[in-house]
Amino acid sequence: MERNLHRQLANMKKSLFDQGYLDEQFIQLEELQDAANPNFVEEVVTMYYRDSARLIQNIDHALEKNPLDFAKLDNYMHQFKGSSCSIGAKKLKNECTQFKEYCETGNGEGCKRTFQQVKKEYAALKKKLEHYFQFARQVGPVEKACRPK
Amino acid sequence: MNLGGLQAVKSMSVPSSSLSRKSGDGVSDQFPAGLRVLVVDDDPICLLILEKMLKKCLYEVTKCNRAELALNYLRENKNGYDIVISDVHMPDMDGFKLLEHVGLEMDLPVIMMSADDGKKVVMKGITHGAVDYLIKPVRIEALKNIWQHVVRKNKDEYKGKDCEQTGSVEDGEQQQKPPEDAEYSSSANEGNWKNSKKRKDEEDEAEERDDTSSLKKPRVVWSVELHQQFVTAVNHLGLDKAVPKKILELMNVPGLTRENVASHLQYRLYLRRLSGVSQHQNGLNNAFMGPTDATFGSMSSFNGIELQALASSGQLPPQSLAIIQAAALGRATNKSPVPVPLVDQRNLFSFESPKLRFGEDSLLNNNSKQINLLHGIPTNMEPKQLATLHQSAQSLGNLNMQLQSQSSQSGSLLTQRPQSQPRTPLLNEINGSHVSTLPSSLGQPIMSQALPSSVLPRNGIENVRGGTFGSVSQPSSALDFSVNHGTEFPGNSFPLMSNSGIPILTSKGMLQEEVKSEMKVPRGYLPNYDTFDELNQNRTQDWGVQTDGSTFDVSQHSNLQGSLDVSPSILVQQGFSSNLKSEQSRNIPVSKATFAVGDSRAGNISNPSQQLNSSPADISQRIKAERLPNMGFQNTFFPEQFGQDDLMSALLKQQEGTGAVESEFGFDGYHLDNLPV
């Protein structure tokens, strides 16, 4: 049973990677988990969602302004991108990069469009990770980081 | 952990104990465990992850989410950390500013990191002295090896003490800024210069070296008080006599070695240059001065002192001048031949220019006369500056000095815009004192340097920097230069430096800032034509750099005056370039170099000699085109441009006189390679 659960968990993780939600950085985080910090990754991700919610709000407000302050938007997004890539959110990171490019070229429509994508990916990943961690807790705290095959 | 590496280090006769506080001969296996790292990042997630990773590497980690807090930690516990890792984008303080502070005050290796992997940002990290630049997300593998930077730094410091001839300072600095070599093609020269200088100084220190070679001295932290003592000693000795040994004796600080002082002297010059650029100047100045508000004042005083020393020494002994300039210019000199287009250089050297500025500032102060006017001294200063400059600008020799001082001043001003006020007094006094004494040779390098900063030369406007100098327009009203300068000069400064070596560097720094301002104003045409003439005169002498060798006579000035459109930066460049070259000949080739860089608007500029004699219109045109490109150093004569015919004539006279001086100096002083030791 345990093995089954473990395997299930491993498959979950694998699919997250295959679908491009997560990248190598997530593995790095998992490798930091040890007996002293068994839920390190979950803690980090939770913290991330808490902090980045504020950034998302800021960007939303900034996008409503007219005219758009691209420097500010770029700044917010830079912070958001930094956090996102720290937890290994691959798709999210790419959307952020796209957003920043639009900021540089002053493409307001592009920014707004991309940000919708960002929010979508952000929400989707959050759900998936919540599911994953819930399952991981069930499986047991000794889940070791393993690279998806 | 790379024990092999550790062994290798040991083989370099660096005591293992010096490598790591925790490792000794017997516990080298543990190294680099226990390395004390300070992490600074406003993103709590990154901070948490980094902390975890560093702990996994068995390092001792201290987290910090604000740069000010980090500095406090560092200051309170001077020897409590081995290395600092800092994010680039932070809300309360720019990561680069923190980098400067740490480098200046604590001399610790600093690693920058950011999600931004743009080449410009990475380059900025390099020029500001970061030992490494990590792209986020940071992997643990990257962190595992950060201990190498600590070892390297210690090794260099040790080696420096052991064998100064190789330029311990140089080594240390080199280690800090290896990438800078790319920027400063003259780093080798700088090194040589340092070597030659050091050799002389060190001959009597041989025994001292031997004694210390066996053990690594604890790193000396240059606190504000210590630095003040250092500055006082330097001032007391006079720039030309400020050799590390004497400074050490004057300071009379137990435990301080000559090597420490020598390193500090070099490092200060470097930092001054760095900060000269402007943005970080404030920070740098602060760092330079210590985390006190006196930064500004101290900087100026330091510069002023140096300048005064220069001034008093009259011909600014090649040695001192060389030292200062070499240090300042050293970096710049390598940059490229004068004709290098400023534009390209600008970006590259933007970082450098600040440094140069500083270096130049001191030199320039001598030239306060002219330069003040020209430098876009911060708005406050401008009116005063101009006034001061006018009066003092009469003498040619001074011109050089002034230009330089101005540039230095302006440089400092530029960078320190916010601090313009403090500067003003400094500049004013500097201007007055320097006006007369600097030999033309000195002036030249200064001019070139000054030019960038002084803006005046270039734009004829004191407001070298559009930002701070906004007010410069006073005398010259046209000085919008300040805005233009900033950007333009950077490019110029390099070419200049290479020629003359030092002057260019400073000018470069200044130029950059100035270039930014908007060249549009014919700032060079400041009403201070008098000074301008003088400058021109000097310039002609100095302009050997540029190519034409033709002297940039007053005619140029007049031209410049007329067509200030070019924007002061160009003028400056010319001056600088000429200065740089001045070594060889005052010929103004500057015009060439400076103008050449830029656009062909000026067209004529390329032939300074011709232009000089030609109507001012030509010059102005050239200026326009070139704007800054050459200005950097060569165009220290820019001030000339502003000047009117009298200025030119004054300059010419001075140049003649300075010509002799130059030989004394051996313009070698300017050439890093030939710096007389």
Side-chain angles (χ1 to χ4, degrees), chain B residues 96-324:
Chain B
F96 295 117
K97 207 186 229 185
L98 176 66
L99 165 61
E100 287 177 2
H101 275 280
V102 174
L104 187 50
E105 295 178 39
M106 295 107 203
D107 200 23
L108 286 174
V110 182
I111 295 177
M112 301 303 293
M113 60 175 177
S114 176
D116 187 355
D117 61 351
K119 202 170 73 169
K120 281 194 186 149
V121 189
V122 178
M123 182 63 90
K124 205 171 174 188
I126 292 170
T127 54
H128 281 80
V131 298
D132 205 350
Y133 191 103
L134 305 175
I135 309 289
K136 285 184 181 174
V138 180
R139 296 167 63 90
I140 195 169
E141 289 81 19
L143 294 175
K144 276 203 177 118
N145 285 324
I146 62 172
W147 59 268
Q148 64 175 295
H149 303 295
V150 178
V151 170
R152 192 179 292 120
K153 202 168 190 43
N154 290 346
K155 173 177 74 69
D156 286 346
E157 284 180 2
Y158 176 82
K159 202 164 103 173
K161 291 189 181 119
D162 200 13
C163 39
E164 292 192 50
Q165 292 194 349
T166 47
S168 57
V169 173
E170 182 182 71
D171 290 344
E173 290 184 356
Q174 277 178 354
Q175 186 247 323
Q176 266 191 344
K177 8 185 209 272
E180 290 181 10
D181 285 359
E183 298 176 355
Y184 298 109
S185 53
S186 62
S187 60
N189 294 341
E190 184 180 11
N192 294 340
W193 172 80
K194 279 187 193 166
N195 286 341
S196 58
K197 171 182 176 303
K198 280 185 186 193
R199 229 169 273 121
K200 216 167 87 165
D201 294 338
E202 295 166 8
E203 270 166 43
D204 12 334
E205 321 276 351
E207 314 76 31
E208 189 180 346
R209 269 204 308 276
D210 291 344
D211 293 339
T212 61
S213 63
S214 51
L215 46 89
K216 179 174 185 333
K217 291 205 162 38
R219 178 183 298 145
V220 170
V221 176
W222 284 87
S223 64
V224 181
E225 303 77 30
L226 201 60
H227 177 69
Q228 270 309 119
Q229 281 182 283
F230 171 81
V231 170
T232 309
V234 170
N235 293 338
H236 184 77
L237 289 168
L239 268 174
D240 50 333
K241 289 225 174 23
V243 291
K245 187 168 189 183
K246 299 224 174 84
I247 297 174
L248 183 69
E249 285 166 12
L250 269 181
M251 284 175 72
N252 196 20
V253 171
L256 195 67
T257 67
R258 201 188 71 81
E259 290 82 359
N260 297 140
V261 175
S263 298
H264 192 66
L265 184 65
Q266 295 307 318
Y267 193 45
R268 292 285 157 264
L269 293 170
Y270 156 66
L271 284 171
R272 234 174 317 122
R273 260 186 293 149
L274 244 193
S275 54
V277 173
S278 61
Q279 297 147 7
H280 299 276
Q281 191 161 46
N282 291 329
L284 188 62
N285 285 338
N286 293 329
F288 194 63
M289 300 296 178
T292 63
D293 297 340
T295 36
F296 197 82
S298 27
M299 277 306 294
S300 41
S301 59
F302 187 47
N303 291 336
I305 293 173
E306 291 178 351
L307 289 175
Q308 286 170 6
L310 283 172
S312 55
S313 61
Q315 307 240 329
L316 197 63
Q319 193 173 7
S320 48
L321 180 62
I323 295 172
I324 306 273

Side-chain angles (χ1 to χ4, degrees), chain A residues 24-25 28-29 31-32 34 37 40 44 47-48 51 78-79 81-83 85-87, chain B residues 42-46 48-49 52-53 56 87 89 114-116 136-141:
Chain A
E24 180 66 26
Q25 181 65 12
Q28 292 258 321
L29 294 187
E31 279 176 354
L32 292 175
D34 51 21
N37 287 82
F40 179 69
V44 172
M47 189 192 278
Y48 163 77
D51 274 10
H78 181 80
Q79 295 178 48
K81 183 181 169 189
S83 299
C85 65
S86 290
I87 66 159
Chain B
D42 64 317
D43 183 348
I45 295 152
C46 289
L48 189 65
I49 296 173
K52 200 77 179 66
M53 284 181 172
K56 194 120 196 260
D87 187 33
H89 295 93
S114 176
D116 187 355
K136 285 184 181 174
V138 180
R139 296 167 63 90
I140 195 169
E141 289 81 19

Side-chain angles (χ1 to χ4, degrees), chain B residues 380-617:
Chain B
N380 305 323
M381 305 231 2
E382 299 169 346
K384 296 182 201 172
Q385 298 284 338
L386 291 174
T388 319
L389 291 172
H390 277 291
Q391 296 152 13
S392 50
Q394 299 308 321
S395 55
L396 242 182
N398 299 330
L399 279 177
N400 291 330
M401 302 289 286
Q402 287 177 351
L403 286 174
Q404 303 206 350
S405 54
Q406 288 204 358
S407 49
S408 54
Q409 290 177 357
S410 41
S412 52
L413 286 177
L414 291 175
T415 55
Q416 303 228 355
R417 300 219 193 152
Q419 307 196 355
S420 55
Q421 313 230 338
R423 285 182 190 269
T424 319
L426 183 65
L427 286 175
N428 287 330
E429 54 182 354
I430 296 180
N431 295 334
S433 57
H434 299 295
V435 172
S436 50
T437 47
L438 287 177
S440 53
S441 54
L442 277 178
Q444 295 191 349
I446 301 180
M447 301 239 330
S448 51
Q449 298 177 347
L451 287 177
S453 52
S454 55
V455 177
L456 290 178
R458 292 192 275 206
N459 303 318
I461 315 174
E462 291 141 7
N463 300 317
V464 177
R465 307 275 214 124
T468 50
F469 297 98
S471 54
V472 173
S473 52
Q474 307 133 14
S476 53
S477 63
L479 294 173
D480 298 336
F481 187 78
S482 51
V483 176
N484 298 333
H485 302 293
T487 52
E488 304 214 18
F489 288 115
N492 295 333
S493 40
F494 290 114
L496 293 176
M497 298 288 304
S498 43
N499 296 327
S500 51
I502 310 178
I504 301 187
L505 285 175
T506 52
S507 52
K508 237 197 317 198
M510 306 229 293
L511 284 176
Q512 292 199 343
E513 294 191 327
E514 299 184 330
V515 174
K516 288 177 193 167
S517 38
E518 328 142 333
M519 307 253 305
K520 51 186 190 172
V521 185
R523 296 194 263 199
Y525 292 106
L526 282 177
N528 301 315
Y529 288 125
D530 301 326
T531 53
F532 185 81
D533 286 341
E534 291 185 41
L535 289 173
N536 287 335
Q537 293 174 4
N538 290 330
R539 269 213 284 201
T540 47
Q541 297 171 0
D542 302 323
W543 281 353
V545 180
Q546 287 294 343
T547 49
D548 290 33
S550 54
T551 50
F552 195 95
D553 293 334
V554 183
S555 55
Q556 286 196 340
H557 299 302
S558 47
N559 288 337
L560 293 173
Q561 298 176 354
S563 52
L564 282 177
D565 308 330
V566 177
S567 60
S569 53
I570 299 189
L571 291 176
V572 175
Q573 297 178 345
Q574 294 189 338
F576 287 105
S577 50
S578 56
N579 287 334
L580 292 177
K581 286 215 173 170
S582 56
E583 301 183 318
Q584 291 108 36
S585 50
R586 297 294 176 110
N587 300 326
I588 307 262
V590 175
S591 56
K592 242 219 229 157
T594 53
F595 294 111
V597 178
D599 329 312
S600 42
R601 282 180 278 179
N604 303 333
I605 301 187
S606 51
N607 296 316
S609 51
Q610 299 174 3
Q611 298 177 342
L612 287 176
N613 301 317
S614 59
S615 58

